[in-house]
Amino acid sequence: MLAMRAIWKGAVSFGLVSIAVKLYSATEEKDIRFHQVHRTDGGRIKYQRTCSIDGEVVSYDDIAKGYDIGGGEMVILTDEDFADLPLTTSRAIDVLEFVPAEDIDPILFAKAYYLEPEGQAAKPYVLLRDALRDADRVAIVKIAIRQREQLATLRVHEDVLVLNTMLWPDEVRTPEFGFLDEDIETRPAELAMASSLIDSMAGSFKADEFTDNYRAALQEVIDAKVEGREIVQPEEAEEAPAAAIDLMAALKASVERAKKARGEESAPAPAKKKAAPAKKAAPVKKATPAKKAAKKSA
């Protein structure tokens, strides 16, 4: 595993306390990356930076930043234009306030960074860490990274302070979908069955139980190519069931499927009571023939 490299150095300003820290990326992408190559000989494909007006190849030293104002017009900004901005050399993480974590919508979170105390800052670092944990709150901060001011939070994760950069509120799009204007109601029976499905699939999230199956299969293809062996095709995944028209039927089937996946047997349907056998009718007694009248005596 490669050693982490600090991407930023500065200080957390906590009231009158200053905590020198280093910033490290807390995450890394595991995507398998490819180069574009010439199909026939494997040569790397190179791209040149050319000007769209005169067609000349342009070096990095001659490249500036342009802002399109529309109508084919462009405002050109040079390094000197950025030099006077106040955040380019700012090395402070300013704590603005402390709030409950549940006050922050997760849609605002962008990227996570670890903070490491630098020099003699371990004591105030641990103090802030423990105070945050005891208060059960996160710190709202501002930080300048790569010439951009960003809103962020400071929270505790595994005894380390983690900085999560956030989107600004105006960077979150408002969902505008037609169905939101429709009057759609759910029946109580449907809602109860959906709740039953949620209960049957409830669990505790353990991140290490989930894997990127596509990446693993792609790596297997690459390894097989390198080793010159045959690629074993993975078992086909079970096809998703076709969309059901009957919502209740789909929910019931989903509950049964979830229970089966967990090894739970569905409750057997109550057995129908056998109908009691019909009582045999008592045999009809034949009428006793009337005794013949005694013969009259002579």
Side-chain angles (χ1 to χ4, degrees):
M1 180 178 179
L2 295 176
M4 290 193 295
R5 182 175 61 87
I7 63 170
W8 185 94
K9 290 183 180 182
V12 177
S13 298
F14 173 39
L16 298 178
V17 178
S18 182
I19 308 170
V21 294
K22 295 179 181 179
L23 201 69
Y24 301 84
S25 291
T27 60
E28 59 180 332
E29 292 185 3
K30 291 289 188 178
D31 288 344
I32 297 175
R33 300 182 182 277
F34 295 97
H35 296 295
Q36 289 188 324
V37 298
H38 190 191
R39 185 187 299 274
T40 58
D41 58 18
R44 290 279 299 274
I45 304 300
K46 296 182 178 181
Y47 294 91
Q48 291 182 320
R49 298 171 298 278
T50 58
C51 176
S52 61
I53 296 178
D54 57 24
E56 292 185 6
V57 177
V58 182
S59 67
Y60 274 118
D61 293 338
D62 292 329
I63 294 178
K65 290 181 172 63
Y67 181 81
D68 191 347
I69 60 176
E73 294 185 278
M74 190 82 66
V75 172
I76 299 177
L77 300 179
T78 65
D79 293 340
E80 289 73 20
D81 295 317
F82 290 98
D84 295 332
L85 295 178
L87 296 176
T88 54
T89 59
S90 176
R91 292 293 174 180
I93 300 175
D94 297 319
V95 177
L96 307 177
E97 60 181 351
F98 297 94
V99 302
E102 56 268 21
D103 284 1
I104 304 171
D105 191 324
I107 198 172
L108 293 171
F109 289 124
K111 187 170 174 56
Y113 299 89
Y114 289 134
L115 293 185
E116 178 192 24
E118 186 177 22
Q120 304 299 314
K123 180 65 180 292
Y125 178 100
V126 171
L127 177 63
L128 176 58
R129 181 199 67 188
D130 292 349
L132 280 175
R133 182 183 284 138
D134 291 346
D136 195 22
R137 288 177 176 255
V138 299
I140 301 297
V141 305
K142 276 187 177 182
I143 182 175
I145 302 178
R146 299 185 181 93
Q147 296 185 340
R148 185 189 178 198
E149 183 179 56
Q150 292 187 269
L151 195 64
T153 63
L154 276 183
R155 62 184 179 87
V156 182
H157 173 72
E158 296 185 354
D159 291 334
V160 175
L161 289 177
V162 172
L163 182 141
N164 277 100
T165 56
M166 300 165 62
L167 301 173
W168 294 99
D170 60 357
E171 293 179 311
V172 179
R173 293 175 174 175
T174 301
E176 297 176 351
F177 304 112
F179 80 94
L180 294 174
D181 298 325
E182 300 175 13
D183 186 14
I184 302 174
E185 295 184 0
T186 56
R187 293 184 296 161
E190 294 170 340
L191 186 58
M193 186 59 67
S195 298
S196 178
L197 176 58
I198 291 174
D199 290 340
S200 66
M201 299 177 67
S204 299
F205 178 67
K206 299 180 179 64
D208 56 3
E209 292 181 353
F210 299 89
T211 56
D212 186 344
N213 295 331
Y214 176 82
R215 177 159 55 93
L218 180 56
Q219 188 63 57
E220 171 66 18
V221 171
I222 294 172
D223 293 343
K225 283 269 190 178
V226 172
E227 298 168 9
R229 56 182 169 82
E230 184 179 353
I231 301 171
V232 179
Q233 293 295 336
E235 295 182 5
E236 292 186 4
E238 182 181 350
E239 292 186 4
I245 298 176
D246 189 335
L247 184 56
M248 279 297 291
L251 288 169
K252 288 179 180 178
S254 299
V255 171
E256 296 299 321
R257 183 176 180 179
K259 288 182 177 179
K260 184 178 179 181
R262 289 182 174 230
E264 300 176 10
E265 294 294 334
S266 303
K272 294 182 179 180
K273 294 182 179 179
K274 293 183 179 180
K279 293 182 179 180
K280 293 182 179 180
V284 179
K285 294 182 178 180
K286 294 181 179 179
T288 304
K291 292 183 179 180
K292 294 180 180 180
K295 292 181 180 180
K296 294 182 179 178
S297 54

